[in-house]
Amino acid sequence: MARTLGWTEAEVVEAGDVLRLLMLRTSDDVVLLPAFQLQDGHVVDGLTEVLRILETGTKGRWTWAQWLNTEVPDANPRRNIDYLRAGRLEEAIRDARHDAWAWNS
């Protein structure tokens, strides 16, 4: 991830800590950085805003990863990350607010 972004490893970890990147930890403390959050060698625009909204509903980063990347059969786009890739930030924010509210209820 660091090489792709042209960042140091410390910058990548910091970006994960402040939600500029989605950083996941396994039960044995291995750090994972999903590639789906990148487009053309850059973090997709709007990711930070969406992650901060999702955080209001749950602190579970694995849940955020599922929310971003799970295919919904009849949706357009099929995955929430695709809103961001298509520059449809307002729609991604709308759906993130709705789901974060539902998780928090």
Side-chain angles (χ1 to χ4, degrees):
M1 181 75 62
R3 187 177 349 198
T4 299
L5 293 170
W7 299 355
T8 65
E9 288 186 27
E11 289 171 324
V12 169
V13 170
E14 180 183 345
D17 289 341
V18 298
L19 302 182
R20 285 182 51 216
L21 284 172
L22 175 58
M23 182 171 62
L24 306 169
R25 288 192 186 272
T26 64
S27 60
D28 55 345
D29 210 30
V30 174
V31 173
L32 302 175
L33 297 151
F36 65 75
Q37 63 191 312
L38 301 182
Q39 182 176 21
D40 300 326
H42 302 281
V43 179
V44 293
D45 289 337
L47 182 67
T48 298
E49 292 89 334
V50 168
L51 293 178
R52 288 184 179 154
I53 292 166
L54 295 176
E55 184 180 37
T56 67
T58 180
K59 302 296 182 204
R61 291 180 178 222
W62 287 97
T63 301
W64 307 347
Q66 285 182 308
W67 185 89
L68 286 163
N69 203 41
T70 299
E71 282 196 15
V72 179
D74 294 323
N76 181 21
R78 290 187 166 229
R79 299 178 310 151
N80 287 309
I81 192 70
D82 293 332
Y83 277 128
L84 300 178
R85 288 193 175 130
R88 296 166 60 182
L89 179 58
E90 290 177 19
E91 293 165 277
I93 286 173
R94 176 200 64 209
D95 289 356
R97 282 184 179 146
H98 176 270
D99 291 338
W101 175 84
W103 295 336
N104 204 27
S105 306

